[in-house]
Amino acid sequence: MKISDIRLTIVGIPRTTGFVSKHGIVEVLTDEGLTGVGEMSDFSHLPHYSLDTRDLEQNLRELLVGKNPLNMMPIAKELLANFPESLYLYEKGSVVRSGVDMALHDLCAKYMGQSVAELLGGRHEEKIKVCYPIFRHRFMEEVEENLEVVRMQYQKGFDVFRLYVGKNVDADEAFLDRVEQEFGSKVQIKSLDFSNLLDWKESLRVIKRLSRFNFQLIESPAKANDFEGLYQLRVRVDQPVSEHIWSFRQQYEIIKRDALDIFNISPVFLGGITGARKAAAAAEVAGKGCLIGTTQELSIGTAAMAHLGVSLNNLTLVSDPTGPELYAGDVVNQRVQYEKGYLLVPDRNKAGLGIDLDYDLLEKYRVPDLCWANVSVHQLQDRTKTAN
């Protein structure tokens, strides 16, 4: 089996907030008629620059056409050489590698007549517990809006929430107080997510202020790549500390300093399932647990994370992939399914990721390129519909 062509389609899918996120849908075609599908998830992140779509598609053709897709590790190595790590969470090369790697896993599992989870070694479970995100408060008026989000999602079965914090701590505190009053123990806060916005000392002050509330862990509470700051905060708090892993150099520095309790592993930040498995294995060797993180993927990317999650030995905490619940549309025949706060892994009897493209929807949401035109930095950072 040889790769015969690469197709890259850019789609713009509106979130329920109105913000339009752009994704690259990757199709890896072969001379035997099989096609693997992957997703370059949510390109609409800082840094505020884009890629030339047709140039990227042609580059991928030159790199991949004629290769045996079953040779995933050599292909991953070549992709890394051409789209290298940059020690930054939202670097575009990782997103590109992730989409291709995902499509290769889908393709190879289809070729072998098994699901991706079986290709990865088998399933521990058929579902993973996930949380719903509550986006960062900028103004006190948003507290009631976010409470309504909790009410709506609780009715749909979600009982664990992740709160982005740090911009308006008065509003964060008011929100947590209202959630506690209204829901008590029926609703849990998985984490306070600082998203590397504050330095570790500022984050520590916020954590102390909010420590009267129950939350399971603290995420990204130091500036990016401040490994010493992560360690200094970790030894000063009672809750476990988590961080996204976005490069193996970063993970090495964190393990060396024992700066984390939980590794936040996500294919999109590590160049795909291949990189995410390596990062999870390194965490396991270091005696650390993992959770599956997110950049808010569509159903293709979310299915890949579901397959990955149930194949890991050290998935120890509630994970984050609820992207399809945040979007007003998708590009597949049937979205991934959620039940009582769990992400269900697609049917084990369906080969590959278990997700099929809907070409009518692909055409409906197709956009010319990855340019963000007049979208402001504030909108890209917080996914707001309009700048304030």
Side-chain angles (χ1 to χ4, degrees):
M1 181 168 60
K2 301 292 183 183
I3 296 172
S4 60
D5 199 8
I6 303 292
R7 284 203 295 253
L8 178 60
T9 305
I10 308 303
V11 295
I13 309 291
R15 297 189 178 199
T16 54
T17 60
F19 182 89
V20 177
S21 289
K22 294 184 178 179
H23 311 259
I25 306 303
V26 184
E27 295 174 86
V28 177
L29 290 74
T30 67
D31 58 359
E32 296 196 14
L34 287 174
T35 298
V37 177
E39 177 185 308
M40 298 177 184
S41 307
D42 198 9
F43 264 106
S44 307
H45 260 294
L46 296 172
H48 196 169
Y49 66 81
S50 57
L51 301 175
D52 184 296
T53 305
R54 300 284 70 87
D55 180 63
L56 175 59
E57 183 180 59
Q58 185 56 36
N59 286 340
L60 292 174
R61 284 194 181 110
E62 291 176 6
L63 287 171
L64 298 173
V65 168
K67 286 185 167 55
N68 181 348
L70 295 170
N71 292 329
M72 284 192 284
M73 293 304 292
I75 290 174
K77 184 177 180 180
E78 185 164 4
L79 287 171
L80 182 60
N82 285 275
F83 301 95
E85 292 180 344
S86 63
L87 273 174
Y88 180 67
L89 178 60
Y90 295 116
E91 59 98 355
K92 306 304 185 188
S94 179
V95 182
V96 171
R97 287 184 280 117
S98 178
V100 175
D101 184 82
M102 194 181 302
L104 290 175
H105 277 81
D106 182 49
L107 174 59
C108 292
K110 286 174 177 174
Y111 180 76
M112 295 180 180
Q114 57 187 202
S115 76
V116 167
E118 274 63 52
L119 181 70
L120 298 177
R123 310 177 183 214
H124 295 288
E125 304 285 348
E126 297 295 330
K127 58 187 179 181
I128 60 175
K129 184 69 173 177
V130 293
C131 63
Y132 196 90
I134 301 298
F135 292 104
R136 213 175 313 276
H137 295 100
R138 296 161 296 153
F139 312 105
M140 190 62 75
E141 304 84 74
E142 292 173 322
V143 170
E144 184 58 41
E145 296 175 15
N146 280 336
L147 277 168
E148 187 57 30
V149 172
V150 174
R151 294 180 189 117
M152 290 175 59
Q153 297 306 321
Y154 180 73
Q155 291 300 317
K156 293 167 65 175
F158 292 99
D159 58 359
V160 183
F161 295 84
R162 173 168 56 104
L163 176 63
Y164 289 90
V165 297
K167 278 199 172 177
N168 187 326
V169 183
D170 290 338
D172 296 336
E173 186 173 33
F175 171 80
L176 289 167
D177 189 56
R178 293 281 301 279
V179 168
E180 187 177 87
Q181 290 180 35
E182 185 169 337
F183 292 94
S185 61
K186 294 185 294 184
V187 159
Q188 298 179 54
I189 301 298
K190 186 201 84 170
S191 61
L192 305 184
D193 191 338
F194 288 87
S195 305
N196 310 115
L197 292 180
L198 306 180
D199 67 38
W200 74 267
K201 292 182 180 179
E202 292 177 290
S203 294
L204 183 60
R205 285 192 285 271
V206 174
I207 293 162
K208 287 181 176 179
R209 179 173 171 181
L210 301 179
S211 62
R212 67 185 178 91
F213 301 103
N214 292 320
F215 51 91
Q216 296 174 1
L217 72 153
I218 299 157
E219 296 197 67
S220 306
K223 292 291 186 178
N225 299 318
D226 180 8
F227 310 117
E228 181 62 22
L230 271 178
Y231 172 77
Q232 291 296 334
L233 184 136
R234 177 176 177 252
V235 298
R236 287 169 168 81
V237 298
D238 296 325
Q239 299 84 359
V241 176
S242 172
E243 176 61 281
H244 289 280
I245 299 304
W246 52 74
S247 83
F248 296 111
R249 179 66 190 185
Q250 174 221 19
Q251 188 175 27
Y252 166 78
E253 295 293 343
I254 288 171
I255 291 173
K256 183 171 71 174
R257 290 169 174 81
D258 199 18
L260 283 186
D261 302 288
I262 303 294
F263 288 83
N264 186 317
I265 305 295
S266 184
V268 69
F269 302 132
L270 285 159
I273 294 171
T274 299
R277 289 184 72 201
K278 288 170 65 177
E284 186 176 10
V285 169
K288 305 294 185 179
C290 291
L291 63 88
I292 302 294
T294 185
T295 185
Q296 310 307 348
E297 293 80 358
L298 300 174
S299 284
I300 298 168
T302 305
M305 291 188 291
H307 285 281
L308 171 67
V310 297
S311 73
L312 296 180
N313 292 322
N314 56 333
L315 186 68
T316 54
L317 277 173
V318 176
S319 293
D320 299 338
T322 51
E325 294 291 298
L326 302 178
Y327 289 104
D330 213 312
V331 294
V332 298
N333 289 333
Q334 184 178 17
R335 297 191 196 192
V336 293
Q337 299 297 304
Y338 295 88
E339 183 179 278
K340 297 180 180 179
Y342 285 85
L343 167 61
L344 305 184
V345 187
D347 186 354
R348 67 168 64 233
N349 295 315
K350 190 167 185 180
L353 292 171
I355 296 288
D356 296 318
L357 276 177
D358 184 317
Y359 286 93
D360 290 334
L361 290 174
L362 194 67
E363 191 60 37
K364 174 183 176 180
Y365 290 112
R366 180 194 293 267
V367 293
D369 52 43
L370 290 165
C371 179
W372 290 277
N374 296 320
V375 178
S376 72
V377 168
H378 183 92
Q379 288 172 278
L380 288 176
Q381 186 177 73
D382 281 344
R383 299 300 198 271
T384 53
K385 183 176 181 180
T386 57
N388 287 287

